Amino acid sequence: QSALTQPPSASGSPGQSVTISCTGTSSDVGGYNYVSWYQQHPGKAPKLMIYEVSKRPSGVPDRFSGSKSGNTASLTVSGLQAEDEADYYCSSYAASNNLGVFGGGTKLTVL
Amino acid sequence: EVQLVQSGAEVKKPGESLEISCKGSGYSFSNYWIAWVRQMPGKGLEWMGIIFRGDSDTRYNPSFQGQVNISVDKSLSTAYLQWSSLKASDTAMYYCARPIMGRGVFISLDYWGQGTLVTVSS
């Protein structure tokens, strides 16, 4: 099972919006509405930010939003803040292994 | 409060065996799956496998099948990740996490342990 494709880096200035893409196939991202996004600060465990494409767990700011079109899912962070600087990983259910698959991760820099 | 607490860092030699653990609390552990995720130094996240009650409810990423063993003791609310013969390439941070499943399909990982760093070096 190949990893989902994410850009290695993304950046934006405070207050701006940035969108991170996550491209898979019809056997994972495109076939199921089970895309999730995780934020990981250096030295910390990942944290769930978005599940089922666009749902936010309790406590996650509404500046974080998710969407999907075809085989590509996206995470948008609006009103960028310094604390949003982190690595972001997408994940999807993968029919090929009846498990999940992660993207390679995107390092978000707040300029 | 849901918590997954993992065992401490380990330093091992190649060829040695190892078992690390993940203890859940604050929820009905027996009703949920547990997942294991690897993160090699400076790299991304990789699914290793998930377990529910035991061998019949265990799924491995083919990349890890035969390389590790995942087990669970529901009476202790604890899941385990085991190696019989470590390699230097097993050096990584290992996370346990609680998968949310829908009709047997993985949806998301909503709670994570703090991670266990395993270092394998001669």
Side-chain angles (χ1 to χ4, degrees):
Chain A
Q1 176 63 47
S2 300
L4 306 177
T5 300
Q6 296 182 235
S9 63
S11 63
S13 298
Q16 289 187 330
S17 294
V18 65
T19 296
I20 299 169
S21 62
C22 169
T23 301
T25 69
S26 58
S27 296
D28 39 65
V29 174
Y32 307 89
N33 288 323
Y34 294 141
V35 176
S36 49
W37 289 90
Y38 304 86
Q39 177 191 64
Q40 186 179 35
H41 287 110
K44 299 294 187 182
K47 174 187 175 184
L48 177 65
M49 303 301 284
I50 296 286
Y51 67 100
E52 293 183 50
V53 177
S54 60
K55 297 178 181 178
R56 276 189 313 276
S58 174
V60 172
D62 60 6
R63 302 185 293 103
F64 291 85
S65 61
S67 62
K68 190 186 85 166
S69 177
N71 295 337
T72 298
S74 299
L75 172 72
T76 297
V77 186
S78 305
L80 272 174
Q81 298 183 5
E83 60 261 35
D84 299 332
E85 185 162 294
D87 293 326
Y88 290 84
Y89 294 90
C90 62
S91 185
S92 172
Y93 170 72
S96 59
N97 63 10
N98 199 18
L99 264 180
V101 60
F102 284 108
T106 298
K107 182 175 180 60
L108 174 61
T109 300
V110 180
L111 302 170
Chain B
E1 178 195 7
V2 173
Q3 284 194 309
L4 295 172
V5 178
Q6 298 185 229
S7 50
E10 300 275 1
V11 179
K12 292 288 191 179
K13 289 181 167 37
E16 292 186 333
S17 63
L18 175 65
E19 177 182 270
I20 63 175
S21 65
C22 168
K23 183 174 175 62
S25 63
Y27 71 103
S28 181
F29 185 88
S30 59
N31 290 337
Y32 286 82
W33 295 69
I34 283 287
W36 286 98
V37 175
R38 183 176 79 173
Q39 187 168 38
M40 298 179 78
K43 302 297 184 182
L45 305 172
E46 300 174 88
W47 273 90
M48 299 182 72
I50 58 174
I51 189 166
F52 187 48
R53 288 194 178 91
D55 288 348
S56 61
D57 296 305
T58 307
R59 305 177 196 172
Y60 290 93
N61 178 332
S63 299
F64 293 92
Q65 181 88 45
Q67 308 303 309
V68 297
N69 186 66
I70 295 172
S71 62
V72 66
D73 186 332
K74 294 284 188 176
S75 68
L76 297 177
S77 299
T78 302
Y80 303 93
L81 181 63
Q82 301 148 323
W83 293 260
S84 59
S85 181
L86 286 160
K87 301 185 275 288
S89 57
D90 293 318
T91 294
M93 182 71 81
Y94 293 88
Y95 293 101
C96 64
R98 189 178 80 166
I100 298 301
M101 308 288 282
R103 286 180 282 187
V105 170
F106 156 72
I107 295 176
S108 63
L109 297 165
D110 64 347
Y111 288 93
W112 293 68
Q114 83 276 20
T116 295
L117 180 62
V118 173
T119 303
V120 184
S121 174
S122 54

